[in-house]
Amino acid sequence: SSSNSLFAFETLESNVRSYSRSFPVVFRKAAGAILEDENGCEFIDFLSGASVLNYGHNDPDILNDAVEYLQSNRIIHALDMATSVKREFMEYFDEIILRPRGLTYKFQFVGPTGANAVEAALKLARKITGRHSIISFTNGYHGVSLGALAVTGNRYFRDAAGLPLAGAVFMPYDGYWGADKDTTEYLDRLLADDSSGVDLPAAIILETIQGEGGINPASKEWLQSLERICRKNGILLIVDDIQAGCGRTGEFFSFEFANISPDIVLLSKSLSGCGLPLSLLLLKPELDVWQPGEHSGTFRGNNLALVTATAALRKHWTTENLSKGVIETGRILMERLRQVAQSNQGSNLSVRGRGMMLGLDCSARELAAEIVRRAFKEGLVVERCGAEDQVIKLLPPLTIDRPTLQHGLDILEKSVHACVS
Ligand code: PMP
């Protein structure tokens, strides 16, 4: 029965579980922007697996390729042996994503999660430069394995590791001290001053728009000055595009708007197009100093995920339609959220973001939590992010239709009104 449907999760699954607490139902089915629970109740999904489901749940064309593949005795697992689907993915990605953007990268499949890409990138940067420290940013999020955790700017996550984690130097993210303060000038001077005692770092790792850290977009100018600092000091620039990439901001890569050219780019989440785990490091060819097998792993570039990744590129990235849709829908979202913020003036709400990666900052943790709970009861899945979990994160599937989007926004608006007054 529905009353004890979560019993197994409460008694058998570890206390570390979180989403099954935020959304206390058992989900069973999904399509597009809709999740359905065991009792047939539907929920609009504005979380999209934290940007894993940019093309919605179960895109029929992507799944069709997967089903055909599964039914024809093709390779699912082959360690990192050469397979025809891996070749097809790399050649296709190069042809329709990299070359049109004037980018040249080699592919390093790591796997299966985002944190695996972060670990490989940090290790490679240290190997290339012979330096050890990494600059990362307040409120940045890069994963929970020890290396990735070391560069994650959130005390709650880092403290779970017990020991202090070595290697990271934290800098304030763009706008952290106010939009008018340029923190890159401080960094530039610090690195130029021998007497500062600050060793040159191997790399700078950043998100161009912080996801878990509270939907904090960096400006073009800030990103460009960081790139200049990297070039001047032989520091590698690593863009973690795990959450913001694959079209979330309207561009395939979230850094395109800033006209920068990262040395290493990390992709995961929506890369496979359907929720299968797949994680990838793109590196400039001259940086490929790895010795064969020097960085290994059993699950690197799962072949089924590569099939669906290629299908996703074919369906969504051979025309401009998706990008244009994201910009257009992002505008509608932003406009509507601004109205919601303005019509609740007493409560200090504000909106920020880029493309279809938006945040409604509620200033207070409890208010955000209450709105999220209320929205869920009304049939909308949204989650919180930010240093204080005070920001409601809006990441609808990029392919969401207009009526579903409006319906979701109606629920959100109603929930905000109910909780504020
Ligand atoms: N980097 C960013 C920007 C992320 O948002 C995440 C996951 N939220 C990660 C890295 C870690 O990815 P994973 O959870 O798959 O290890």
Side-chain angles (χ1 to χ4, degrees):
S1 82
S2 62
S3 63
N4 68 359
S5 62
L6 280 158
F7 186 70
F9 299 91
E10 285 154 9
T11 56
L12 297 175
E13 198 180 8
S14 156
N15 263 330
V16 81
R17 73 191 187 282
S18 66
Y19 290 113
S20 66
R21 291 177 208 260
S22 317
F23 311 115
V25 299
V26 180
F27 293 104
R28 198 171 67 99
K29 284 174 75 176
I34 304 293
L35 279 160
E36 189 183 314
D37 77 7
E38 285 185 326
N39 301 315
C41 293
E42 292 191 343
F43 298 83
I44 297 172
D45 189 357
F46 274 16
L47 174 57
S48 305
S51 207
V52 167
L53 299 156
N54 279 4
Y55 316 118
H57 294 267
N58 296 330
D59 180 315
D61 299 314
I62 297 176
L63 283 201
N64 195 45
D65 281 19
V67 169
E68 263 180 29
Y69 190 78
L70 280 174
Q71 288 175 340
S72 48
N73 277 343
R74 301 284 302 277
I75 306 283
I76 292 179
H77 182 78
L79 297 168
D80 76 338
M81 293 172 196
T83 62
S84 44
V85 294
K86 187 187 276 185
R87 179 179 57 207
E88 193 186 348
F89 170 78
M90 289 192 293
E91 289 179 348
Y92 200 57
F93 192 97
D94 188 49
E95 180 190 328
I96 71 160
I97 301 294
L98 296 182
R99 274 193 267 152
R101 290 166 177 77
L103 298 168
T104 310
Y105 289 114
K106 287 176 82 172
F107 297 72
Q108 182 183 350
F109 294 95
V110 292
T113 77
N116 295 138
V118 174
E119 297 289 339
L122 301 182
K123 194 199 268 189
L124 181 62
R126 290 164 70 135
K127 182 173 156 74
I128 289 168
T129 60
R131 305 172 189 162
H132 65 274
S133 69
I134 308 285
I135 291 187
S136 60
F137 296 92
T138 46
N139 292 314
Y141 183 91
H142 302 286
V144 297
S145 55
L146 291 184
L149 197 57
V151 292
T152 288
N154 181 314
R155 217 42 213 252
Y156 178 66
F157 297 127
R158 276 213 315 277
D159 283 353
L163 294 169
L165 297 161
V169 178
F170 287 96
M171 288 286 303
Y173 194 74
D174 192 17
Y176 186 72
W177 282 337
D180 56 327
K181 306 239 183 353
D182 181 4
T183 51
T184 60
E185 195 186 319
Y186 167 77
L187 178 62
D188 196 25
R189 288 191 189 191
L190 198 66
L191 295 178
D193 182 354
D194 265 350
S195 67
S196 72
V198 174
D199 292 331
L200 283 177
I204 292 182
I205 185 167
L206 60 88
E207 303 153 87
T208 72
I209 167 165
Q210 293 181 326
E212 302 311 315
I215 313 294
N216 309 313
S219 70
K220 175 179 176 165
E221 294 72 24
W222 188 77
L223 293 166
Q224 288 175 347
S225 25
L226 281 178
E227 184 182 50
R228 268 196 301 278
I229 291 171
C230 285
R231 300 290 166 255
K232 190 167 127 188
N233 296 288
I235 300 167
L236 299 185
L237 181 62
I238 305 171
V239 169
D240 177 344
D241 232 2
I242 288 169
Q243 186 158 159
C246 298
R248 185 46 63 188
T249 63
E251 322 163 294
F252 186 85
F253 296 110
S254 73
F255 56 82
E256 291 172 47
F257 83 110
N259 236 331
I260 57 170
S261 149
D263 297 298
I264 298 174
V265 181
L266 312 179
L267 291 174
S268 183
K269 293 203 192 278
S270 272
L271 184 60
S272 75
C274 64
L276 288 171
L278 182 63
S279 197
L280 175 64
L281 195 143
L282 297 168
L283 59 147
K284 288 196 169 160
E286 64 272 23
L287 301 181
D288 193 15
V289 300
W290 291 117
Q291 296 297 313
E294 193 178 19
H295 188 78
S296 176
T298 305
F299 290 107
R300 282 178 283 168
N302 176 273
N303 284 268
L304 185 61
L306 289 167
V307 167
T308 57
T310 306
L313 294 179
R314 197 179 299 120
K315 174 156 182 185
H316 295 291
W317 292 99
T318 51
T319 71
E320 304 267 289
N321 295 344
L322 183 80
S323 286
K324 285 189 180 139
V326 172
I327 302 299
E328 174 73 25
T329 311
R331 248 189 236 124
I332 294 172
L333 261 168
M334 179 69 101
E335 185 55 36
R336 185 73 188 277
L337 291 172
R338 284 203 173 123
Q339 283 168 14
V340 171
Q342 271 159 19
S343 60
N344 292 280
Q345 272 182 348
S347 57
N348 206 11
L349 304 176
S350 61
V351 188
R352 53 179 184 261
R354 203 147 68 75
M356 288 177 70
M357 187 162 180
L358 299 184
L360 178 65
D361 193 326
C362 301
S363 298
R365 177 197 294 260
E366 249 327 295
L367 176 59
E370 230 179 282
I371 294 169
V372 164
R373 270 195 299 272
R374 182 97 184 194
F376 184 69
K377 282 200 189 114
E378 302 287 330
L380 176 69
V381 170
V382 278
E383 248 301 23
R384 293 176 298 153
C385 59
E388 299 291 325
D389 263 347
Q390 83 286 17
V391 181
I392 297 177
K393 173 161 83 166
L394 296 134
L395 305 169
L398 309 181
T399 51
I400 192 169
D401 61 69
R402 213 40 66 74
T404 311
L405 181 81
Q406 296 293 3
H407 187 191
L409 287 168
D410 290 343
I411 295 176
L412 184 70
E413 181 167 34
K414 243 175 72 185
S415 310
V416 172
H417 283 313
C419 296
V420 163
S421 51

